Amino acid sequence: MTILAAPGWPRISGGLLAAGLLALLPSLPACGSRRPVDTASASTSDVTARAERRPFVRTIRVAGLVAASRSFAVTAPRLAGAGMSMLVLTKLVPSGASVKRGDLLVEFDRQAQIKNAFDRRGEYLDLLAQIRKKQADQRAARARDESELKQAENALEKAKLELLKKEFQSAIEAEKNQQTFEEAQARLAQLRQTFDLKRRAADAEMRILEIQRDRARAAMLKAEDNAKKMRVLSPLDGLVVPKQVYKGGQMGEVQEGEQVRPGVPMLDVVDASSMEVRARVNQADVPYLRIGQMGEVRLDAYPGKVFPARLEQLAPIGVVSEMTDKVRTFVAIFSVAGRDRVLMPDLSASVDVEVERVPDALVVPRDAVGIRDGKASVFVKDGSRYVERAITIRARSEHEVAVASGLEPGAIVRRGDGGRAP
């Protein structure tokens, strides 16, 4: 058989072509052949890592916000009996200012409250004078009634003596004496009855005035308290942090001269010497946390800053997630050690909590270790090949594995070839 070639090319016989193909077959890989389980060829594109002898540390990262351990929130005061009247802001401490205990933070226009306090005090003092006058009048009236009662008793005794002359008097005189006695007796009984009624009426009048006095005193104290609420003093040393409020269709800070509604938050005074991070912990990480564990705080706004922290509180009851009722989060509070001007409230932060430490461990990346049939193994570089080697795991984290045996320091392992991650 002869194979025709293009013009100018030499002709090649079929026998020569077949002989050449047979000579090349031994050098070609067999079709369908598989790589050995325990070895593999090394390639320059393989991602490798070296087993290192160093401390193995397992951490859990939680996210939260920086807050002050001690703070005081300043809000527009709610005035007793004033309803929802607006308050005019006359003085406001500047944002970011450092204040001492007793310094003025906020002051509102309090002329109306001072006037109201004076009016209520005038009403209270007037009722006190009325009560004193009423007590004097009642004492005088009681003295007159007691005098009349005594006179009626004397008249009755005199009428009794006149009746003893009955045998020596005419019938007409005796009848007159009998009539006088009965009149004196009836008058005494009437005076005794009206005496008790007058005392009850006097007590009722006095009680009415006392109730009015108490109400006036309560109104006076409320008015004076309202006047005191117009000035807010700092209860602690700290830093002034303003609050954002909704005004004029947008968010902003309150300014001097503006009107604010009662109860609107305006600023916080925070103790910058004691800061903390309030974080939410997933229910899967809660079993690894213990009170007193140490961690490191990193601020998202200042990546280079690291602060030591300590777990102070861990909520015993979880909060249901907004996405599903099967996942809950727990509030954890970490105290931040040290002071720094960048530690400000409401900054987003993360806390790395150390939950496990092996001081002297042989560490490899987690993606270099695979688990097959419950046994761990890695691919170790041996010349131009990778040999699969069984290992035992001492500890593991999300990124690293501490090897207990089966691997020596400095061994090069291939990453991403471990199969299912442990």
Side-chain angles (χ1 to χ4, degrees), residues 164-182:
L164 298 177
K165 301 177 182 180
K166 181 178 179 179
E167 297 180 356
F168 306 100
Q169 293 177 340
S170 61
I172 296 176
E173 292 294 332
E175 185 68 22
K176 288 182 178 179
N177 291 335
Q178 183 65 32
Q179 185 177 1
T180 301
F181 172 77
E182 292 177 356

Side-chain angles (χ1 to χ4, degrees), residues 2-254:
T2 301
I3 299 177
L4 298 178
W9 284 29
R11 296 184 178 184
I12 302 175
S13 64
L16 291 176
L17 180 60
L21 292 175
L22 291 175
L24 292 174
L25 286 176
S27 63
L28 295 177
C31 182
S33 63
R34 302 179 61 186
R35 186 183 65 179
V37 176
D38 59 343
T39 61
S41 299
S43 173
T44 56
S45 61
D46 292 334
V47 179
T48 61
R50 188 179 296 274
E52 299 178 355
R53 179 71 67 178
R54 58 180 173 83
F56 169 83
V57 180
R58 182 185 178 188
T59 61
I60 293 177
R61 172 166 291 189
V62 295
L65 295 176
V66 179
S69 301
R70 297 177 61 238
S71 63
F72 174 71
V74 179
T75 60
R78 297 184 182 275
L79 304 181
M84 294 297 293
S85 59
M86 302 293 285
L87 303 175
V88 179
L89 188 61
T90 58
K91 290 184 180 179
L92 179 65
V93 66
S95 173
S98 297
V99 295
K100 299 294 184 181
R101 182 176 181 179
D103 290 351
L104 178 65
L105 299 176
V106 178
E107 185 174 8
F108 298 91
D109 183 10
R110 56 176 185 163
Q111 295 302 318
Q113 303 303 325
I114 293 176
K115 180 180 180 301
N116 187 38
F118 282 136
D119 292 342
R120 300 289 84 78
R121 177 172 287 276
E123 294 176 1
Y124 172 69
L125 295 177
D126 180 66
L127 286 170
L128 286 179
Q130 292 183 31
I131 289 176
R132 288 194 292 268
K133 181 177 181 301
K134 178 63 68 175
Q135 289 174 344
D137 294 342
Q138 289 181 355
R139 286 195 295 268
R142 184 185 183 91
R144 289 195 300 269
D145 293 340
E146 289 177 349
S147 177
E148 290 182 2
L149 188 61
K150 191 63 178 177
Q151 291 177 3
E153 291 175 352
N154 294 335
L156 180 61
E157 293 296 329
K158 182 178 179 181
K160 287 181 178 180
L161 294 175
E162 292 295 330
L163 289 178
L164 298 177
K165 301 177 182 180
K166 181 178 179 179
E167 297 180 356
F168 306 100
Q169 293 177 340
S170 61
I172 296 176
E173 292 294 332
E175 185 68 22
K176 288 182 178 179
N177 291 335
Q178 183 65 32
Q179 185 177 1
T180 301
F181 172 77
E182 292 177 356
E183 290 178 355
Q185 193 176 25
R187 177 173 175 73
L188 179 60
Q190 180 184 7
L191 288 176
R192 285 176 176 175
Q193 184 178 5
T194 55
F195 183 86
D196 294 337
L197 293 176
K198 287 180 179 180
R199 300 291 81 74
R200 292 180 185 178
D203 292 342
E205 292 177 356
M206 183 60 64
R207 183 56 183 161
I208 291 173
L209 289 176
E210 289 176 350
I211 292 175
Q212 293 177 350
R213 177 204 61 191
D214 294 341
R215 289 180 176 177
R217 182 176 181 275
M220 177 192 69
L221 294 178
K222 288 181 179 179
E224 292 177 350
D225 186 60
N226 288 342
K228 293 179 181 178
K229 289 180 178 178
M230 296 293 100
R231 301 181 78 251
V232 182
L233 305 180
S234 176
L236 50 86
D237 300 347
L239 189 68
V240 176
V241 180
K243 288 283 189 180
Q244 296 288 323
V245 298
Y246 185 80
K247 61 175 185 177
Q250 60 183 359
M251 300 299 294
E253 301 175 5
V254 294

Side-chain angles (χ1 to χ4, degrees), residues 51 53 362 380 389 406-411:
R53 179 71 67 178
L362 189 60
V380 182
R389 187 181 298 179
L407 195 64
E408 65 279 358

